[in-house]
Amino acid sequence: MPAPSKTIARLAVKFVEFQGKRLLGDQFAAEVLNTFAETVGDDAAAKLAAFFDQGERAEQLLAAFQAADDCLAAKSDAYAQLIRSKPLARIESLEKLATALPDALDHTRLLDALRRQFLQDWQGQLTDAQAADAANAYTDCLIRAFALKFGNDLPLLIRIVEKLDHLISTTDETLERVKRIETTVTAVHVWQRPSAPRADPGFVGRAKEREDVRALLAPGTRAAITATVHGTPGVGKTWLARQLAAQLDSEFPGGVLFQFLGSTHRRADLCAPILDDWSKRAGYPLARDEHLSSDQVRDWLDGHGPLLVVLDDVWDAAGIKPLLDAAPRDASILLTTRKSRLAREASNKVYALDILTLDDALDLLRARMDNVTDADAPLLGELAGHLGRHAQALDIAGKNLSRWQKSRWKEKVTALGRLVRAGEAFGELPFPGEEERVSEVEAALKFSYDEMDERAQTRFRALGAFAPDASFRTEFAAALWKCPNDEALGLLTDFCERGLLSAQEHERWQQHLILHAYALALLRRAGEEDATRRAHAETFLSAMREMDDKQVYYRMLPDYAQLRHAFEWAVEHDLGIAQGIAANGANLQSQFNLVRDSDAWSLRLLELARQAKDEQVLAQALLTRGNILSDLANLPGEDRAARLRESLAAYDEALRFRRPDTAPLDYAMTQGNLAILFAELADMPGEDQHARLREALRCAVTALGWFEKSQHAPYVQQARGLLEHLRQKCGDLFPALWAELNIGALPAWLQKQ
């Protein structure tokens, strides 16, 4: 192999910079490179070049290009021969590519340079479109190869730099960011292959439908094949999707990402927690308050083999766009929806799932009923006819019929048929939401409901207070029903055996949307909705407060839909509960990219608080709004300076009511928030940095003073930590700023810092 050239080293440096920017953002990558330059004493890029210019490193660099060559050749028959004849790993070709790359390497320029190189090396053999496709494929292979080849060497370089004496004087924040680089690079190649949902042992029939949809989902295609299964409620879309996911898992090397969405998932911003989960699964170590875009998530999901992405129960096209954008090019996507128009608009292949065939309907009933013989086939056929071969109605009716002695089956089937034909069942229920009444399901449900004792009926109705299309834990049902967990577990199991509830993974339960609609309608007819919704809201406020106090708020993420449902009721009926949910849920929302909900909640609370004309309520709403505005300032696309100034105005107004003589701890906390805010404003263009830092120090000292008077040790420690942070941030300005405050000598504990 020829000796490595400076050109190769330069190219290595550019790829390192590109990888850093892609993973961490331009501002962060620049800061780390500047830190390298300051601590080493020379240009950071030159030092990196010297590192890679060693023979062993150059061989690894070339090996990375060779790995990309091999990967592309293996993946694409169309380009395999070309890659073998003129691989980019050859020195002369690599030098030409390095020369063609601009100084500022980004993804677009890299693709363009590779495309030009393909066209130049294989003149007349590739069209522009083919060269673009090859460049896309090669870029993905090359970046992953670099990560794998240098995953151990880049952290080694960082550790060497960390040990330099000069770095000891830098801030803790910079040290943390350097460690962050190491964590990120070493985690690039970690892939946690998702597991498909388990096959439902109770699933029967649908053999033809499974084969028809399966034919639409062949993996490894260049363009994603999108198949959409749509149909009316309860005909088995989710069942079919879960069975297909379990069945096809081995055919998709990348695995199966199965995501239930439901009727409450209608906004693009609600995809953010899902994207976070996908990022972590792909090996990206998300830090607190860090989130990746759809494009970034797609980069991380790509390269592990074709994926099957299942988006179950889609209600709005806008609510899935970020997820579709995050799917790799070779992924297959399966949507399920009950909306035909959405199905057509969101996919290029639509499969309309119909009611069960007679044979499948009979198989379903046989699976749900005990002691069935061939002699029962006519009666089962009659039942299937009464219920229109509707899968959900048959599921409930079959389980219910199985509870009766066989001698009563004929009587029950006849009565159920009469009820369906009459179309009366529960009578005129005040039906909620967008769901349409389904007479077959209503009749089957009434048969099962009427068999319950009064207490079980009351508790079934209470399930209507939970969020639609959202699961819940046994303990929350127990709290709502005011009974022990074991008792709740027994009744939930009974509901499940009646077909009125489904058991989910991780000991959770979920009610089908149409059954939830009936439960809520029954709750309203009984005049119990307000009291039960209040109990639901109080239950989830209590749980959220406990988890937030213990700093394990992340445990409530699976129940966030319930928390949001509780807030929506409380904001119309009990402002105190609503404020409690918003305040205790703020950390959860901030951590899991749900700040848009925080924004909407805080605005609504502030509007209602102004109408209430209660100073304490208004003060709390203003503080909540100020906190949320600070979080919003960190979101992409936001005017950071404007949001921080809005936050400042909210805190200032809150201080009209949070006075030191009436609410000293609240006053001190607000001063601490202001200190952080002033420090952030000091970095904004057009701000008087000196004045803002002085105000930050003044607020921090004020907060510390009141906390010390309260003798609350944790708060005192936090306030001291804030002052230490501000001292580091102020740097050489600190002595002058402290003197301007005219508050006496520097405390002894701060002099030691």
Side-chain angles (χ1 to χ4, degrees), residues 102-420:
D103 290 335
L105 183 65
D106 60 30
H107 198 257
T108 302
R109 292 188 177 98
L110 173 62
L111 285 174
D112 188 55
L114 284 168
R115 182 186 62 80
R116 290 197 304 270
Q117 191 63 46
F118 275 113
L119 288 173
Q120 180 179 341
D121 280 354
W122 299 300
Q123 295 179 13
Q125 299 180 66
L126 290 177
T127 65
D128 282 344
Q130 289 172 328
D133 285 344
N136 264 303
Y138 194 89
T139 302
D140 293 339
C141 297
L142 187 59
I143 290 172
R144 196 156 299 282
F146 264 92
L148 290 171
K149 290 295 177 183
F150 299 121
N152 294 324
D153 292 326
L154 285 180
L156 174 62
L157 174 64
I158 293 165
R159 283 194 291 272
I160 291 171
V161 174
E162 278 185 303
K163 292 177 181 177
L164 295 175
D165 292 339
H166 297 287
L167 193 58
I168 296 174
S169 62
T170 61
T171 66
D172 291 340
E173 183 179 4
T174 302
L175 282 170
E176 183 61 33
R177 289 181 172 182
V178 171
K179 292 176 183 176
R180 178 98 182 103
I181 279 274
E182 176 178 350
T183 302
T184 302
V185 174
T186 55
V188 168
H189 60 282
V190 177
W191 170 243
Q192 302 174 37
R193 187 181 187 277
S195 299
R198 292 195 301 267
D200 189 336
F203 186 87
V204 296
R206 297 292 197 190
K208 180 181 182 300
E209 290 90 337
R210 275 183 284 170
E211 289 305 311
D212 288 345
V213 177
R214 179 178 180 174
L216 305 177
L217 297 173
T221 53
R222 177 66 64 175
I225 294 177
T226 304
T228 306
V229 180
H230 69 86
T232 56
V235 299
K237 299 182 300 299
T238 295
W239 270 14
L240 179 61
R242 289 178 66 87
Q243 291 300 116
L244 279 167
Q247 180 181 346
L248 299 178
D249 183 41
S250 62
E251 298 182 22
F252 286 87
V256 178
L257 287 172
F258 193 101
Q259 188 64 51
F260 174 79
L261 300 174
S263 61
T264 60
H265 186 101
R266 297 175 184 243
R267 306 194 319 263
D269 63 287
L270 295 179
C271 294
I274 301 173
L275 293 177
D276 286 351
D277 180 64
W278 290 3
S279 303
K280 294 174 183 176
R281 187 173 295 282
Y284 187 88
L286 281 174
R288 179 183 171 88
D289 299 326
E290 182 183 16
H291 311 284
L292 300 185
S293 67
S294 293
D295 289 345
Q296 290 171 315
V297 173
R298 183 178 63 247
D299 287 341
W300 281 82
L301 291 176
D302 204 3
H304 306 292
L307 275 166
L308 173 59
V309 180
V310 183
L311 304 178
D312 184 35
D313 202 15
V314 177
W315 283 69
D316 193 287
I320 60 171
K321 187 178 185 306
L323 303 180
L324 295 178
D325 290 344
R329 289 184 301 277
D330 59 357
S332 295
I333 301 172
L334 175 64
L335 311 179
T336 78
T337 178
R338 64 195 62 192
K339 298 189 174 184
S340 300
R341 181 175 177 180
L342 190 155
R344 293 192 300 271
E345 292 175 352
S347 68
N348 53 16
K349 295 182 182 296
V350 176
Y351 187 86
L353 187 64
D354 205 347
I355 58 173
L356 295 172
T357 65
L358 179 58
D359 286 343
D360 282 351
L362 294 177
D363 285 343
L364 176 60
L365 288 171
R366 291 188 188 101
R368 300 300 186 261
M369 300 168 64
D370 297 328
N371 303 319
V372 173
T373 66
D374 291 342
D376 299 314
L379 183 62
L380 299 186
E382 182 183 342
L383 177 58
H386 289 328
L387 297 179
R389 303 202 302 274
H390 192 287
Q392 189 171 49
L394 288 171
D395 183 56
I396 297 172
K399 289 176 177 177
N400 175 57
L401 205 60
S402 187
R403 290 170 169 263
W404 290 90
Q405 292 181 344
K406 200 170 184 178
S407 60
R408 302 285 303 276
W409 284 4
K410 177 62 178 176
E411 170 195 341
K412 294 295 180 182
V413 169
T414 301
L416 185 57
R418 187 166 52 247
L419 195 62
V420 173

Side-chain angles (χ1 to χ4, degrees), residues 651 665-678 696 699-704 707 719 722 726:
Y651 287 144
L665 276 181
D666 290 332
Y667 173 77
M669 289 179 185
T670 307
Q671 290 291 340
N673 289 342
L674 280 169
I676 296 170
L677 187 59
F678 279 125
C699 291
V701 170
T702 302
L704 176 60
F707 285 142
L722 177 57
L726 290 174

Side-chain angles (χ1 to χ4, degrees), residues 611-680:
Q611 296 172 10
K613 302 186 184 309
D614 183 315
E615 287 189 357
Q616 293 308 309
V617 170
L618 179 55
Q620 181 59 51
L622 286 165
L623 287 173
T624 299
R625 183 61 184 158
N627 295 339
I628 300 310
L629 285 165
S630 293
D631 288 337
L632 283 172
N634 297 319
L635 292 184
E638 290 285 348
D639 184 335
R640 178 169 171 75
R643 287 298 196 183
L644 291 176
R645 294 185 191 107
E646 290 176 32
S647 178
L648 177 60
Y651 287 144
D652 281 343
E653 186 178 357
L655 283 176
R656 291 169 47 200
F657 314 108
R658 290 289 172 92
R659 297 182 296 272
D661 56 331
T662 58
L665 276 181
D666 290 332
Y667 173 77
M669 289 179 185
T670 307
Q671 290 291 340
N673 289 342
L674 280 169
I676 296 170
L677 187 59
F678 279 125
E680 291 179 338

Side-chain angles (χ1 to χ4, degrees), residues 2-14:
S5 67
K6 290 290 184 182
T7 308
I8 300 174
R10 289 210 324 273
L11 183 63
V13 171
K14 289 176 178 178

Side-chain angles (χ1 to χ4, degrees), residues 534 537-538 541 566-581 605 608:
R534 176 178 294 278
E538 290 173 341
L541 167 58
F567 177 84
E568 289 168 355
W569 177 87
V571 80
E572 296 291 339
H573 298 86
D574 192 311
L575 196 55
I577 293 178
Q579 283 191 322
I581 293 173
L605 287 172
L608 293 172

